[in-house]
Amino acid sequence: MKDQLDHYDREVLEEVKRKVDQIAVNLERVQIADYIALMNKPWRLIFNNMLGGIARGVGIAIGLTVFTSTILYVLQLLGALNLPIIGDYIAKIVEVVQSRLRT
Protein backbone atom coordinates (compact mmCIF):
# COMPACT_ATOMS: atom_id res chain seq x y z
CA MET A 1 0.00 0.00 0.00
CA LYS A 2 2.78 2.40 0.96
CA ASP A 3 4.66 1.63 -2.25
CA GLN A 4 1.57 2.42 -4.29
CA LEU A 5 1.21 5.82 -2.57
CA ASP A 6 4.90 6.61 -3.08
CA HIS A 7 4.63 5.67 -6.74
CA TYR A 8 1.45 7.74 -7.11
CA ASP A 9 3.10 10.71 -5.37
CA ARG A 10 6.08 10.51 -7.72
CA GLU A 11 3.81 10.41 -10.75
CA VAL A 12 1.85 13.42 -9.53
CA LEU A 13 5.04 15.36 -8.81
CA GLU A 14 6.46 14.52 -12.22
CA GLU A 15 3.24 15.63 -13.90
CA VAL A 16 3.26 18.90 -11.93
CA LYS A 17 6.88 19.45 -12.93
CA ARG A 18 6.05 18.85 -16.60
CA LYS A 19 3.15 21.30 -16.43
CA VAL A 20 5.26 23.99 -14.70
CA ASP A 21 8.01 23.57 -17.30
CA GLN A 22 5.45 23.81 -20.09
CA ILE A 23 3.98 27.00 -18.59
CA ALA A 24 7.46 28.52 -18.26
CA VAL A 25 8.27 27.74 -21.90
CA ASN A 26 4.96 29.20 -23.07
CA LEU A 27 5.47 32.39 -21.05
CA GLU A 28 8.95 32.83 -22.47
CA ARG A 29 7.70 32.23 -26.00
CA VAL A 30 4.94 34.85 -25.57
CA GLN A 31 7.38 37.51 -24.36
CA ILE A 32 9.70 36.88 -27.28
CA ALA A 33 6.77 37.12 -29.67
CA ASP A 34 5.72 40.47 -28.17
CA TYR A 35 9.27 41.77 -28.46
CA ILE A 36 9.55 40.71 -32.11
CA ALA A 37 6.16 42.28 -32.88
CA LEU A 38 7.32 45.53 -31.28
CA MET A 39 10.57 45.50 -33.26
CA ASN A 40 8.65 45.02 -36.50
CA LYS A 41 6.68 48.22 -35.82
CA PRO A 42 9.29 50.96 -35.27
CA TRP A 43 6.69 53.74 -35.08
CA ARG A 44 4.94 51.93 -32.24
CA LEU A 45 8.26 51.61 -30.43
CA ILE A 46 8.98 55.33 -30.93
CA PHE A 47 5.48 56.22 -29.71
CA ASN A 48 5.84 54.06 -26.58
CA ASN A 49 9.24 55.55 -25.77
CA MET A 50 7.97 59.11 -26.38
CA LEU A 51 4.97 58.54 -24.13
CA GLY A 52 7.18 57.05 -21.41
CA GLY A 53 9.58 60.00 -21.63
CA ILE A 54 6.76 62.52 -21.35
CA ALA A 55 5.32 60.69 -18.34
CA ARG A 56 8.72 60.62 -16.62
CA GLY A 57 9.26 64.33 -17.34
CA VAL A 58 5.88 65.32 -15.93
CA GLY A 59 6.43 63.10 -12.90
CA ILE A 60 9.82 64.67 -12.22
CA ALA A 61 8.39 68.18 -12.56
CA ILE A 62 5.51 67.48 -10.19
CA GLY A 63 7.76 65.69 -7.69
CA LEU A 64 10.33 68.49 -7.73
CA THR A 65 7.61 71.09 -7.24
CA VAL A 66 6.14 69.27 -4.24
CA PHE A 67 9.58 68.66 -2.74
CA THR A 68 10.73 72.27 -3.22
CA SER A 69 7.53 73.75 -1.84
CA THR A 70 7.75 71.49 1.21
CA ILE A 71 11.35 72.50 1.85
CA LEU A 72 10.46 76.20 1.48
CA TYR A 73 7.55 75.81 3.88
CA VAL A 74 9.78 74.15 6.48
CA LEU A 75 12.44 76.83 6.01
CA GLN A 76 9.85 79.57 6.52
CA LEU A 77 8.70 77.89 9.73
CA LEU A 78 12.29 77.64 10.94
CA GLY A 79 12.91 81.28 10.00
CA ALA A 80 9.88 82.32 12.05
CA LEU A 81 11.44 80.72 15.13
CA ASN A 82 14.23 83.34 15.10
CA LEU A 83 16.99 80.88 15.79
CA PRO A 84 20.24 82.81 16.35
CA ILE A 85 22.57 81.91 13.45
CA ILE A 86 20.43 79.50 11.51
CA GLY A 87 17.44 81.85 11.36
CA ASP A 88 19.32 84.58 9.48
CA TYR A 89 20.76 82.09 7.00
CA ILE A 90 17.37 80.48 6.37
CA ALA A 91 15.71 83.90 5.99
CA LYS A 92 18.25 84.84 3.30
CA ILE A 93 17.62 81.58 1.43
CA VAL A 94 13.84 82.10 1.57
CA GLU A 95 14.20 85.71 0.36
CA VAL A 96 16.37 84.67 -2.56
CA VAL A 97 13.98 81.91 -3.60
CA GLN A 98 10.92 84.14 -3.28
CA SER A 99 12.58 86.91 -5.32
CA ARG A 100 13.42 84.33 -8.05
CA LEU A 101 9.84 83.08 -8.05
CA ARG A 102 8.46 86.60 -8.53
CA THR A 103 10.55 87.23 -11.65
Side-chain angles (χ1 to χ4, degrees):
M1 179 82 171
K2 178 127 172 107
D3 287 336
Q4 288 177 345
L5 286 176
D6 288 341
H7 181 69
Y8 178 75
D9 289 343
R10 282 190 206 116
E11 287 179 6
V12 169
L13 286 175
E14 287 176 11
E15 181 65 25
V16 168
K17 183 184 180 310
R18 275 193 297 265
K19 290 290 184 184
V20 168
D21 289 342
Q22 184 181 11
I23 290 171
V25 168
N26 288 339
L27 285 175
E28 186 175 334
R29 193 177 304 142
V30 167
Q31 290 176 351
I32 291 172
D34 288 344
Y35 178 73
I36 290 172
L38 188 61
M39 288 295 128
N40 287 332
K41 297 177 182 177
W43 288 109
R44 177 112 174 123
L45 180 63
I46 291 170
F47 176 75
N48 285 345
N49 285 333
M50 186 75 81
L51 194 62
I54 290 170
R56 279 188 290 279
V58 169
I60 289 171
I62 291 172
L64 186 62
T65 302
V66 169
F67 178 74
T68 304
S69 63
T70 303
I71 294 297
L72 285 177
Y73 179 73
V74 169
L75 288 175
Q76 283 179 341
L77 289 178
L78 288 176
L81 292 176
N82 288 330
L83 300 173
I85 297 171
I86 300 171
D88 293 334
Y89 182 69
I90 292 172
K92 287 180 185 177
I93 292 174
V94 170
E95 287 174 13
V96 168
V97 171
Q98 286 179 344
S99 68
R100 296 283 179 165
L101 290 175
R102 288 187 199 124
T103 58

